[in-house]
Amino acid sequence: MLGLGVNAHASVTLGLFGLPLVMPDIQRDFQVSLPVAAVIGNAPGIGILLALVAWGALADRRGERVALGAGVGLASLFLAAAAFAQAPWAVVALLALAGAAGSAAMVGGGRIVLRWFDPPERGVAMGLRQVSYTLGMAVAGFLLPAVSSAYGLSGVLLVCSGFCLVAAVLAGLLLAEPPRELAAASAPQAASPYRKSELWRVHGTSALHVVPQIAVSTYGVACLVGTYGWDKVHAGQLFGAAAIGGAVVRIAVGRWSDRTGLRMGPLRILTVTTAAVLALLVGAQAVSGMAAIAWAGPVTLALAAVMTVAGNGLAYLAAGELAGPGWAGRVLGTHNGVQNVVALVAAPLLGVLIAQTGFWAGFGVGLVLCLASLPVIPVGAERGQGRHDQDSS
């Protein structure tokens, strides 16, 4: 079941989050500025924002099979339609609809972890589930720039549509309900989990972490091409390799979390590490003209691509566990919805800032907000908890 959820999320990731990897082609094909190209490349986020909670409610009531099969299937249709659209506004509208449909996989995949796995196993399971994003981005990094060079943006969108179609068929045919004893443990709870301040803080932490992630994932390829003179295909491959590294790190982080029985403590350590990498990245941009250390920018970009996504699974899992299985779909939908609000606002604003000032400024904003998230992480709520308490429960 976890594999089906991973496959569905990885497949929609190509079309919903992989388009910034072909940002230079979006600019060229539509003859638009970098901020406008960022709006087109991130247009699926508009639909994701509007539909996440609704898909979560449907998954809570009807299960993951209905949500994933229908949503990912519709995403395939909208991506295919976008491949034949000519006007930028039509492409944005169709990509937004694809995002609205495909966001079902973002909610359903996380809900599978909460319903099929016990707490001591969820960190690794959620790490594997979160690998779906990095796996999708790895495939996108290696595949989409090459497809774009050969067949243009239409070819890219048709490839994304094909991946979604296969995933929708597999989810619709093979997803099942958990065994009776696990299903009983997932019975709905009456009280709203939003009475807990910790849940709001987890949402807030992830919202702040989105900005450095968007800065690196949306503008990283453009930075390599524009600042360091890389070929766009090789730049995409670097980010594809970084996505594979991110997948390994996410699984390792999940294992670490399960062994300690903590979610927020490890997240704080990861946040400090990410801030250090971003500081190096900003410094590398400031000295990008020095030939002797020209390698520093690409290396720190790759490290930042790994670290800015490393803690996502912990925050996502913490939100689901605080929600309880009966509310998981809606809370996970809200969690991702908050992230997408920030992403939609941040992507064009960062584009304007970068166009006027330089890539270092966009990455610098990500660094500042990463540091600002440290006091928001609800580490105190986990005091007294951990592996030994978990073992005795």
Side-chain angles (χ1 to χ4, degrees):
M1 296 305 110
L2 180 59
L4 291 169
V6 167
N7 180 60
H9 192 189
S11 296
V12 300
T13 294
L14 270 73
L16 272 57
F17 300 103
L19 297 182
L21 294 172
V22 293
M23 189 78 73
D25 292 325
I26 294 175
Q27 282 186 268
R28 184 199 65 220
D29 289 357
F30 292 108
Q31 294 294 301
V32 294
S33 64
L34 183 64
V36 175
V39 172
I40 296 172
N42 288 282
I46 301 170
I48 292 171
L49 168 64
L50 297 176
L52 274 169
V53 176
W55 283 119
L58 178 65
D60 285 338
R61 290 178 183 144
R62 300 294 301 275
E64 295 84 11
R65 182 178 183 177
V66 172
L68 266 67
V72 178
L74 286 171
S76 174
L77 294 177
F78 289 126
L79 287 167
F84 298 99
Q86 299 295 322
W89 66 265
V91 174
V92 168
L94 288 167
L95 288 177
L97 289 171
S103 63
M106 300 169 63
V107 175
R111 202 167 175 275
I112 286 172
V113 171
L114 294 170
R115 299 184 71 209
W116 281 84
F117 294 88
D118 292 323
E121 305 169 322
R122 286 178 185 162
V124 170
M126 189 61 82
L128 288 167
R129 184 267 175 194
Q130 292 294 92
V131 161
S132 57
Y133 173 82
T134 48
L135 176 62
M137 290 302 291
V139 173
F142 285 108
L143 183 62
L144 298 189
V147 171
S148 183
S149 293
Y151 302 104
L153 192 58
S154 295
V156 168
L157 293 169
L158 288 174
V159 166
C160 295
S161 173
F163 271 86
C164 288
L165 180 60
V166 172
V169 171
L170 290 175
L173 292 177
L174 301 178
L175 273 174
E177 288 295 299
R180 183 172 299 175
E181 60 272 16
L182 287 175
S186 301
Q189 61 191 61
S192 169
Y194 283 104
R195 297 178 181 180
K196 306 170 185 176
S197 64
E198 294 84 2
L199 181 54
W200 291 102
R201 291 176 67 183
V202 170
H203 287 338
T205 298
S206 288
L208 292 169
H209 286 180
V210 165
V211 177
Q213 182 178 335
I214 286 293
V216 173
S217 64
T218 300
Y219 298 105
V221 168
C223 178
L224 287 174
V225 173
T227 302
Y228 299 98
W230 280 47
D231 174 81
K232 63 185 178 183
V233 173
H234 291 152
Q237 289 172 345
L238 177 67
F239 273 80
I244 294 172
V248 174
V249 169
R250 284 188 175 195
I251 295 171
V253 165
R255 178 61 176 159
W256 172 25
S257 174
D258 283 342
R259 287 178 66 86
T260 62
L262 303 172
R263 313 300 184 200
M264 295 294 98
L267 180 61
R268 182 168 63 177
I269 294 172
L270 287 171
T271 302
V272 172
T273 306
T274 301
V277 171
L278 289 169
L280 291 173
L281 176 58
V282 172
Q285 293 301 302
V287 296
S288 59
M290 299 176 63
I293 53 173
W295 55 268
V299 169
T300 50
L301 264 173
L303 287 173
V306 172
M307 292 308 303
T308 53
V309 301
N312 283 358
L314 293 182
Y316 192 73
L317 176 56
E321 289 181 331
L322 287 167
W327 276 75
R330 284 161 285 181
V331 168
L332 293 178
T334 301
H335 187 82
N336 278 329
V338 169
Q339 291 178 304
N340 278 277
V341 168
V342 177
L344 283 172
V345 173
L349 290 181
L350 287 170
V352 171
L353 178 64
I354 289 169
Q356 294 181 347
T357 310
F359 287 101
W360 68 270
F363 301 141
V365 170
L367 169 61
V368 170
L369 293 184
C370 187
L371 292 171
S373 74
L374 287 170
V376 182
I377 302 171
V379 177
E382 292 183 326
R383 285 178 187 150
Q385 300 177 7
R387 184 180 56 193
H388 298 295
D389 300 283
Q390 193 178 70
D391 291 342
S392 64
S393 61

